[in-house]
């Protein structure tokens, strides 16, 4: 079999250059024209035939028909925040690759090249999934609805995410994974409070939507303080609030945006129900109303036990026993869930800089800077795990 580790290291310069190019024009959500064009051009240069899947997804096939099919996923979108890294290739368009999806895309492109070069060795097919809108928890579902798991039918899937600014598992090149439920569910909630405008000198003539919103924010925290077991990790966070037009009037409207995260499906259902009940009842108490909308969301991601054993074993073969570990706790939310709910899947973490190693800015921080030396490792993991999976299936 091809020495994927050495072959990936030989591509180090190309992988880093691709990452920096993608980083410089960071794009968000489904609006990825330059990103998708870059990915498609690279794939064609490798002798592959990319095709669009859904609103902004890109896919292609490598290998031979007749065997099993493994899907490799890499997300492409950035976050709508101003970059603060000071890097010479930093994005200057108001967006920022502070979650590392530029790294994922460049690693999967490199894996595509490696697998195409060794295509004759593959005992089956690899389907690549370059995904948009992960940060909106919407891109995987869009590609799913547009046939990413069909023609040919996908048998299993692998995704990977870099980790920066954490503990030992964030050390460069370290691979970790969590068996079973591996991430929190994630739901974005919009709460629109409606009251009645009035001048500040006549408060009795109005209904203060901002006051209602303030009471809703406080009341929602009681869910975590009084209604959730102490040992259960859950989040109800109001991250945005907007209302009012002047300092001396009662506002007739106010909008809150919140994030809800839970460790289990039962807890997710409970939290969503209570957010709605509390918001509506608090608003009614103060003579207003609240419209609660669940804008988008995704259940917790499940790492299938067999895939953990298999892919974890391949990572140990490639990197050594000490470079791979299993996680106890859960973190984040991830829309790869949409794929993992339908085929056996595993979601790996690749360390790209620990706090102890000087990487003080973690994920989703506009100052986050990954250790680029891990990018060939990530590419090798994608390619080696795919080749070994097809050998065994």
């Amino acid at each position: 079999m091809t020495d994927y580790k050495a072959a990936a290291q030989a591509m180090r310069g190309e992988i880093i250059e691709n990452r920096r190019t993608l980083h410089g024009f960071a794009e968000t959500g489904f609006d990825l024209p330059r990103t998708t064009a870059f990915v498609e051009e690279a794939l064609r240069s490798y002798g592959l035939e990319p095709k669009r899947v859904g609103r902004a997804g890109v896919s292609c096939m490598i290998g031979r028909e007749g065997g099993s099919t493994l899907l490799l996923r890499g997300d492409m979108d950035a976050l709508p925040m101003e970059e603060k890294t000071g890097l010479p290739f930093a994005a200057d368009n108001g967006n920022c690759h502070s979650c590392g999806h530029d790294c994922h895309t460049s690693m999967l492109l490199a894996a595509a090249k490696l697998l195409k070069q060794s295509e004759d060795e593959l005992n089956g097919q690899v389907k690549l999934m370059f995904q948009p809108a992960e940060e909106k928890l919407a891109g995987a579902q869009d590609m799913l609805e547009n046939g990413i798991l069909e023609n040919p039918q996908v048998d299993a899937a692998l995704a990977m995410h870099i980790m920066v600014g954490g503990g030992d598992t964030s050390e460069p090149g370290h691979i970790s994974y969590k068996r079973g439920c591996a991430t929190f569910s994630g739901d974005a909630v919009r709460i629109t409070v409606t009251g009645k405008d009035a001048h500040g000198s006549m408060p009795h003539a109005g209904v203060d939507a901002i006051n209602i919103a303030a009471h809703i924010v406080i009341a929602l925290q009681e869910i975590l303080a009084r209604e959730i077991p102490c040992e259960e990790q859950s989040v109800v966070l109001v991250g945005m609030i907007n209302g009012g037009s002047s300092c001396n009037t009662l506002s007739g409207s106010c909008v809150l945006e919140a994030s809800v995260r839970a460790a289990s499906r039962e807890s997710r259902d409970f939290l969503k129900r209570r957010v709605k009940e509390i918001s509506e009842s608090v608003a009614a108490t103060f003579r207003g109303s609240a419209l609660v909308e669940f804008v988008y969301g995704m259940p917790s991601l499940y790492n299938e036990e067999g895939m953990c054993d298999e892919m974890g074993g391949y990572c140990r073969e490639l990197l050594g026993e000490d470079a791979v570990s299993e996680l106890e706790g859960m973190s984040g939310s991830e829309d790869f869930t949409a794929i993992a709910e339908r085929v056996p899947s595993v979601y790996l973490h690749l360390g790209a800089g620990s706090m102890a190693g000087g990487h003080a800015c973690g994920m989703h921080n506009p100052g986050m800077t990954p250790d680029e030396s891990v990018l060939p490792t990530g590419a090798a993991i994608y390619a080696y795990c795919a080749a070994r999976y097809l050998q065994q299936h």
Side-chain angles (χ1 to χ4, degrees):
M1 178 183 287
T2 295
D3 185 345
Y4 286 106
K5 188 175 180 181
Q9 286 295 334
M11 289 181 62
R12 175 183 173 126
E14 178 182 343
I15 302 171
I16 291 175
E17 182 180 355
N18 285 345
R19 180 255 164 171
R20 293 183 178 185
T21 300
L22 290 161
H23 188 93
F25 52 73
E27 297 173 312
T28 62
F30 289 102
D31 187 18
L32 309 174
R34 295 184 68 182
T35 303
T36 52
F38 181 89
V39 168
E40 289 169 331
E41 182 180 352
L43 292 173
R44 291 190 188 99
S45 75
Y46 303 154
L48 296 166
E49 299 180 4
K51 65 176 183 178
R52 290 294 179 96
V53 180
R55 294 170 61 182
V58 179
S59 181
C60 68
M61 299 299 303
I62 308 171
R64 64 170 183 81
E65 297 181 6
S68 296
T69 299
L70 177 72
L71 181 143
L72 300 178
R73 180 273 217 159
D75 37 14
M76 303 185 290
D77 58 317
L79 285 156
M81 60 172 63
E82 194 77 34
E83 183 165 349
K84 297 180 180 179
T85 62
L87 294 168
F89 54 89
D92 59 5
N93 60 355
N95 299 327
C96 178
H97 265 299
S98 55
C99 198
H101 297 184
D102 54 338
C103 297
H104 306 163
T105 303
S106 63
M107 292 189 303
L108 189 55
L109 281 174
K113 186 174 184 178
L114 293 170
L115 289 167
K116 181 61 178 175
Q117 290 172 343
S118 59
E119 190 170 27
D120 291 344
E121 300 176 3
L122 300 179
N123 186 34
Q125 295 186 94
V126 179
K127 179 178 282 191
L128 304 183
M129 177 182 179
F130 292 90
Q131 183 208 305
E134 191 282 325
E135 297 297 349
K136 292 180 176 292
L137 299 179
Q141 185 64 34
D142 178 73
M143 293 187 74
L144 180 67
E145 292 171 357
N146 285 277
I148 189 62
L149 295 183
E150 304 162 11
N151 300 317
Q153 181 176 330
V154 168
D155 297 295
L158 166 67
M160 185 161 35
H161 201 299
I162 65 165
M163 296 301 293
V164 178
D168 292 344
T169 55
S170 294
E171 287 295 325
H174 189 89
I175 285 289
S176 57
Y177 56 89
K178 169 78 165 57
R179 291 176 180 273
C181 285
T183 69
F184 294 101
S185 64
D187 288 280
V189 190
R190 181 184 297 117
I191 305 167
T192 303
V193 179
T194 301
K196 183 181 178 182
D197 292 309
H199 194 273
S201 63
M202 299 178 63
H204 60 284
V207 175
D208 190 345
I210 291 178
N211 180 57
I212 293 172
H215 280 82
I216 289 174
V217 171
I218 298 301
L220 291 179
Q221 300 311 300
E222 298 304 313
I223 303 175
L224 303 181
R226 295 292 183 271
E227 300 185 23
I228 297 294
C230 296
E231 68 275 8
E232 186 171 314
Q233 294 178 299
S234 298
V235 174
V236 178
L237 167 68
V238 178
M240 293 179 63
I241 182 167
N242 184 35
S245 57
S246 69
C247 66
N248 63 343
T249 58
L250 275 71
S251 176
S253 65
C254 187
V255 178
L256 304 87
E257 295 190 11
S259 174
V260 176
R261 299 175 186 262
S264 69
R265 301 208 168 192
E266 294 76 16
S267 292
R268 182 193 185 204
D269 291 342
F270 175 77
L271 289 174
K272 290 173 69 175
R273 185 178 77 249
R274 290 298 288 142
V275 166
K276 187 175 190 299
E277 291 172 346
I278 289 172
S279 299
E280 291 174 343
S281 61
V282 168
T285 297
F286 295 100
R287 299 182 295 125
S289 63
L291 173 64
V292 180
E293 301 171 277
F294 293 93
V295 183
Y296 58 82
M298 190 62 62
S300 55
L301 185 151
Y302 184 83
N303 273 340
E304 201 265 340
E305 296 266 345
M307 284 291 287
C308 288
D309 291 336
E310 185 167 2
M311 295 301 178
Y314 299 151
C315 289
R316 291 179 174 90
E317 290 175 3
L318 184 71
L319 304 175
E321 190 71 30
D322 293 341
V324 184
S325 64
E326 294 190 27
L327 298 171
E328 294 296 327
M330 299 166 61
S331 64
S333 57
E334 169 60 62
D335 83 339
F336 183 62
T337 297
I339 302 300
E341 285 191 311
R342 288 161 177 80
V343 297
S345 301
V346 66
Y347 178 72
L348 303 175
H349 297 286
L350 171 63
S354 66
M355 184 80 73
H359 293 263
C361 296
M363 313 307 293
H364 285 216
N365 185 306
M368 190 275 284
T369 54
D371 184 337
E372 292 177 319
S373 70
V374 308
L375 300 184
T377 300
I381 290 167
Y382 272 134
Y384 184 77
C385 286
R388 289 287 285 117
Y389 176 86
L390 294 178
Q391 272 189 339
Q392 300 301 314
H393 297 271

